[in-house]
Amino acid sequence: MQIIGEAVIDGARVKKACATVEISFRSYLRWKAGRLEDKRKGAVKTIPRKLSEAERAKFYSQSNSERFRDMTPEQIVAILCEEGTYHGSERTLYRILREKKALASRTESRKPGPSRKPPELTATGPNQVWSWDITWLRTDVKGIFHYAYVVIDVFSRAIVGWSVEDCESPEHAQKLFERIISRLGARPQFVHADNGGPMRGVSLARSSHEAFDADVFGPD
C-alpha cells in the first residue's frame, strides 16, 4: 500500500499501480478501509466461538452414544437443547461427523458387504422344488382385495395347490401347505419364495408343525 501510495503521488493511476504490483484493486480498497483479514478461500480464519478439541470430542462422543447413534444431527441437537444442554449447532455436528467419516453409519454393526447371489434351485423330477406367492385380486369395492395363494411345482410348472383368502397370513399359508402335502403324500426338498412377511412366517413356524419339519424347507 505504501508503494501504491507513492506511485499515486507521482501521478500514477491507482488501478494501474495495483496491476503493476499484482494486487487486486478491490483488495487495495479493502486494506485501505482497514479490513486486513484474509478472506481468500482456504485461508486460515479465526473463529471466536470455535469449539475446543475437548468440546468437539465430547460432542462427538455423545452423538455416538447408544441413545443417539441412530439419529440425525438435527434430532440430536434438538433433544439436547430440550434437556438444557447445548454443545453446538447442527452444522457443527455435521462438520465433526464428516471429519470423523461417521456420517454414513455410527452403529457397531458390521460394514455392508457385497451381495451374494443365492444358489439356484433346480428340479429333475416332480415334488423336488415348489415355488409359491400371493397375488392380490380386485373386488367390486375399491381398496378391498382377496388374496390368491398359489403353489407350483418348478419341474412341471403345474399348480399343486391354491386358496383364496381375505388377508395375507402365515397361518393361511401353513394350512395350504399342510393340505397339499396330505393330498399328494409328498414333501418337496425345497420351497422357494420371496422375502415377504407371510413367507418368512411360514419358514420361522415350520418347526412347530409336523408338515413343516427341517426336511421340507431348504434355503429360501
Side-chain angles (χ1 to χ4, degrees):
M1 288 182 65
Q2 182 179 353
I3 295 173
I4 294 174
E6 293 174 355
V8 172
I9 293 175
D10 292 337
R13 296 175 60 184
V14 176
K15 288 188 176 181
K16 291 290 186 179
C18 290
T20 301
V21 296
E22 299 181 350
I23 293 177
S24 168
F25 176 64
R26 297 186 64 179
S27 296
Y28 170 78
L29 294 179
R30 255 194 332 269
W31 297 347
K32 189 174 181 181
R35 296 157 54 192
L36 303 179
E37 67 274 11
D38 191 349
K39 292 191 174 183
R40 293 176 297 178
K41 185 177 181 180
V44 178
K45 295 180 174 61
T46 301
I47 304 176
R49 302 176 62 181
K50 183 178 180 179
L51 298 179
S52 65
E53 288 301 321
E55 291 172 331
R56 288 167 60 88
K58 184 176 181 181
F59 201 1
Y60 175 72
S61 176
Q62 193 161 20
S63 66
N64 282 327
S65 64
E66 186 174 356
R67 179 187 179 193
F68 292 122
R69 62 186 180 186
D70 292 327
M71 297 184 183
T72 63
E74 288 84 357
Q75 293 173 315
I76 296 172
V77 172
I79 292 174
L80 290 175
C81 285
E82 289 177 353
E83 297 175 352
T85 302
Y86 183 78
H87 296 292
S89 65
E90 296 91 342
R91 291 179 61 85
T92 299
L93 183 54
Y94 267 115
R95 282 195 296 269
I96 295 173
L97 296 176
R98 189 180 299 111
E99 292 172 3
K100 301 287 187 179
K101 297 182 179 180
L103 277 178
S105 176
R106 301 194 303 278
T107 63
E108 297 178 356
S109 60
R110 292 182 299 175
K111 294 183 179 180
S115 59
R116 298 178 181 178
K117 185 177 179 180
E120 182 178 359
L121 299 177
T122 58
T124 59
N127 298 322
Q128 293 179 357
V129 181
W130 290 353
S131 179
W132 76 287
D133 204 349
I134 301 174
T135 301
W136 291 26
L137 304 177
R138 289 183 179 179
T139 66
D140 295 334
V141 181
K142 186 175 181 181
I144 304 275
F145 295 89
H146 293 309
Y147 301 88
Y149 295 62
V150 181
V151 183
I152 69 170
D153 188 320
V154 172
F155 177 74
S156 63
R157 296 296 192 271
I159 296 177
V160 295
W162 61 273
S163 68
V164 177
E165 309 292 348
D166 58 358
C167 65
E168 291 186 353
S169 168
E171 289 75 16
H172 290 322
Q174 290 170 18
K175 291 178 181 178
L176 173 61
F177 275 94
E178 290 171 354
R179 290 198 301 269
I180 297 172
I181 293 173
S182 177
R183 177 172 54 84
L184 297 179
R187 297 167 180 261
Q189 295 176 354
F190 297 95
V191 174
H192 178 269
D194 60 24
N195 202 31
M199 289 71 175
R200 295 197 307 271
V202 170
S203 298
L204 293 174
R206 63 175 180 250
S207 60
S208 62
H209 290 75
E210 183 181 355
F212 296 94
D213 58 17
D215 295 332
V216 176
F217 283 82
D220 289 339

